[in-house]
Amino acid sequence: MTVCELCGEETAGRYLCQRHTVELAKRLDELPTLYAEVGECLVPRRTGFGDIVATKSAAGPRSPLDEDVLDRVNMARAAEVLQLWRVDVQRERWPQHTPPPPSSLSANCRWLAMELDWVVLHYPAAGDLAREVGELEAQARTIVGDPVPRRQRLGTCIAITAEGVVCGAVISRLPGQTRLKCRWCGYSYESEQEWLTLLHFQPREVA
């Protein structure tokens, strides 16, 4: 049985489930625009250009860019990360080809998106690729002020397992998500009645 590298859902031979495949495609499409917004955040500090800062070398004028942001996340670094993934995917799929030359973030994202169907079917590191793309997105969103939605803890799974005991694994969801699947026992909560039953049997402080 093949399961999704990110959530453990059964995937019928794919390394990523449909939901995480769609999420990865969306992130690859949005990353260039997101990092362009990060670039707009690299604005001059409020202090004047002539302000002197203490360094290990000779004192000099402070950089007009917000170096704190520049050190944390920038388009060049994101492009380098995606370039490494592009090189590795190409090496796996076409080992006879020479590595691709360095490209822009947009070009690397576009190339990986075009190969996504092959990646989720044949590339064992698809889960790691999806995680790193997600991390790049999250880092950028901390700069532009648009954080990735955080999972909400709903309680614990109340399904009865094959052993005849209550599962008890933590159940969580993303805002707006209407279908839940326990990552431990695999039980799905889909109907309104299943949701109400799940909430009804939670400890009072959780519910």
Side-chain angles (χ1 to χ4, degrees), residues 27-154:
R27 285 169 175 159
L28 288 171
D29 180 61
E30 294 178 350
L31 272 185
T33 301
L34 189 58
Y35 273 81
E37 292 181 26
V38 170
E40 295 177 2
C41 292
L42 301 179
V43 296
R45 300 174 187 265
R46 294 184 181 277
T47 52
F49 182 78
D51 289 353
I52 304 300
V53 296
T55 64
K56 294 182 179 179
S57 57
R62 185 188 296 273
S63 169
L65 297 180
D66 187 338
E67 294 170 355
D68 294 334
V69 175
L70 187 62
D71 290 341
R72 291 172 59 188
V73 55
N74 60 74
M75 186 174 288
R77 178 182 176 277
E80 290 173 1
V81 171
L82 270 296
Q83 176 76 25
L84 291 174
W85 282 111
R86 178 178 177 178
V87 168
D88 198 60
V89 170
Q90 179 177 301
R91 179 180 58 81
E92 289 287 331
R93 187 170 189 185
W94 296 292
Q96 72 277 16
H97 290 184
T98 57
S103 298
S104 66
L105 176 61
S106 295
N108 288 329
C109 286
R110 185 167 56 250
W111 189 93
L112 287 167
M114 291 173 61
E115 301 299 326
L116 196 53
D117 287 341
W118 183 90
V119 166
V120 299
L121 279 171
H122 304 288
Y123 189 54
D128 291 332
L129 168 61
R131 289 188 192 93
E132 192 147 20
V133 170
E135 290 171 1
L136 287 174
E137 180 198 33
Q139 290 170 359
R141 291 192 184 281
T142 62
I143 303 302
V144 300
D146 183 19
V148 177
R150 305 182 73 173
R151 297 192 70 86
Q152 303 167 338
R153 187 183 188 279
L154 297 182

Side-chain angles (χ1 to χ4, degrees), residues 3-42:
V3 298
C4 176
E5 295 286 324
L6 298 184
C7 67
E9 180 177 332
E10 189 173 352
T11 57
R14 299 164 66 91
Y15 288 104
L16 293 176
C17 66
Q18 181 63 21
R19 177 170 67 88
H20 284 112
T21 299
V22 171
E23 285 183 1
L24 177 55
K26 185 173 182 288
R27 285 169 175 159
L28 288 171
D29 180 61
E30 294 178 350
L31 272 185
T33 301
L34 189 58
Y35 273 81
E37 292 181 26
V38 170
E40 295 177 2
C41 292
L42 301 179

